[in-house]
């Protein structure tokens, strides 16, 4: 994968940070994007130059396009887009936290679409490229308090699968669906009931590096192999 270039969104913590580190360790140039740039600078410093920080809010369509265009302008290529940025402020629907629903839709669905809109023209122009979407086990099953979050992840799964079906040969598409992983994701939950449910649910979380390993596996396959989906979850998660 040496000389290949990856853009990883949501790389300031958790799974995205582990993916950025892992792809860099595998020899890729990695542009690590998120809003908390100070975190990205630390990540870049630790990487010895393999990782570059990039301030990015994925809900801003123009900013996502600029970020992708900048990567291509500066490196001459974009091989992999890892659409990982996500939020999970869980709550029951009857809690009526409509602003939080909107935020999940904006980041988890629109953020992914902005990435596809920005990267696909480059992939089509070169006839190659790889979209890796970090969806969730919540793209396969719904649970109470997670209706909207799961809705966004079902959508992410469907959009990614749609791209796989439409894309010409040469463009690869992978969905990574993690189970419970140690990260800051549950910190976005404001609803006390959902927070309590999650504390129990997240007891057996696995390391984000296990998800990064799955991404590295998908990315590292020969160009004619599409790893369509990998589900990675704790053994104890039923
Ligand atoms: P974290 O909260 O640790 O990381 C989320 C990342 O998304 C952060 O880097 C955050 O960066 C970024 N982010 C949030 N909003 C935006 C935004 N508007 N623009 C750009 N970046 C944004 O959680 P995880 O690492 O767990 O989450 C990563 C992905 O994995 C998410 O899509 C999540 O849904 C998915 N996932 C996680 C699971 C888990 O158990 N941890 C299970 C299944 C799926 P910043 O705030 O600096 O912008």
């Amino acid at each position: 994968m040496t000389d290949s270039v990856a853009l990883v969104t949501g790389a300031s913590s958790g799974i995205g940070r582990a993916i950025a580190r892992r792809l860099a360790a595998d020899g890729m140039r990695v542009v690590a994007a998120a809003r908390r740039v100070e975190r990205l600078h630390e990540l870049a410093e630790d990487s010895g130059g393999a990782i570059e920080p990039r301030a990015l809010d994925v809900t801003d369509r123009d900013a996502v396009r600029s970020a992708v265009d900048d990567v291509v302008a500066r490196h001459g290529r974009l091989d992999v887009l890892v659409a990982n940025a996500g939020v999970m402020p869980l709550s029951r629907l009857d809690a009526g936290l409509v602003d939080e629903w909107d935020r999940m839709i904006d980041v988890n669905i629109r953020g992914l679409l902005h990435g596809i809109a920005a990267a696909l023209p480059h992939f089509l122009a070169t006839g190659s490229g790889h979209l890796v979407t970090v969806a969730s086990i919540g793209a396969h099953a719904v649970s109470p308090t997670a209706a909207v979050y799961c809705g966004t992840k079902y959508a992410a799964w469907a959009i990614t699968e749609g791209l796989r079906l439409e894309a010409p040969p040469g463009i690869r598409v992978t969905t990574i669906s993690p189970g419970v992983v140690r990260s800051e994701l549950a910190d976005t939950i404001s609803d006390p009931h959902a927070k309590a449910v999650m504390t129990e649910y997240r007891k057996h979380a696995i390391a984000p590096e296990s998800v990064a390993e799955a991404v590295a596996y998908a990315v590292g396959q020969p160009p004619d192999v599409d790893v369509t989906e990998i589900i990675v979850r704790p053994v104890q998660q039923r």
Side-chain angles (χ1 to χ4, degrees):
M1 290 193 275
T2 312
D3 296 334
S4 298
V5 178
L7 172 62
V8 181
T9 70
S12 59
S13 65
I15 293 170
R17 181 169 56 194
I19 293 170
R21 281 192 175 133
R22 176 56 201 261
L23 295 182
D26 285 352
M28 296 186 83
R29 301 276 316 160
V30 177
V31 179
R35 293 165 306 170
R36 289 172 295 176
V37 276
E38 64 293 345
R39 297 269 199 109
L40 300 176
H41 282 291
E42 283 167 25
L43 181 64
E45 274 164 31
D46 289 351
S47 78
I51 299 177
E52 294 170 22
R54 168 83 199 200
L56 181 64
D57 182 338
V58 297
T59 67
D60 181 339
R61 190 200 305 174
D62 294 337
V64 176
R65 187 173 297 281
S66 301
V68 168
D69 289 350
D70 274 6
V71 171
V72 174
R74 286 174 353 89
H75 295 286
R77 56 197 292 166
L78 173 65
D79 300 279
V80 180
L81 170 64
V82 183
N84 164 77
V87 292
M88 190 189 70
L90 301 179
S91 59
R92 288 171 53 94
L93 292 167
D94 57 14
L97 300 176
V98 181
D99 288 344
E100 295 191 350
W101 305 349
D102 284 348
R103 194 146 61 88
M104 284 186 273
I105 291 165
D106 286 345
V107 178
N108 303 358
I109 303 178
R110 289 206 172 86
L112 166 65
L113 287 169
H114 294 160
I116 292 173
L120 191 55
H122 294 293
F123 290 173
L124 291 171
T126 56
S128 70
H130 193 162
L131 171 73
V132 179
T133 298
V134 178
S136 172
I137 202 83
H140 294 275
V142 184
S143 52
T145 75
V148 179
Y149 177 73
C150 292
T152 66
K153 292 301 184 176
Y154 272 72
W157 190 99
I159 291 162
T160 308
E161 175 65 1
L163 178 62
R164 186 183 71 78
L165 294 169
E166 291 177 7
I171 297 178
R172 300 191 294 168
V173 176
T174 300
T175 301
I176 302 289
S177 291
V180 184
V181 176
R182 283 194 291 278
S183 76
E184 298 172 19
L185 194 67
D187 298 355
T188 55
I189 302 173
S190 70
D191 180 73
H193 168 68
K195 225 179 183 46
V197 171
M198 266 298 108
T199 306
E200 182 60 29
Y201 185 74
R202 297 184 71 79
K203 256 191 193 155
H204 302 294
I206 56 174
E209 287 73 20
S210 299
V211 181
E213 181 79 26
V215 174
Y217 172 76
V219 169
Q221 293 305 300
D224 61 342
V225 175
D226 185 82
V227 178
T228 306
E229 181 167 15
I230 303 178
I231 297 178
V232 188
R233 65 179 132 198
V235 172
Q236 296 194 55
Q237 188 174 357
R238 303 295 174 200

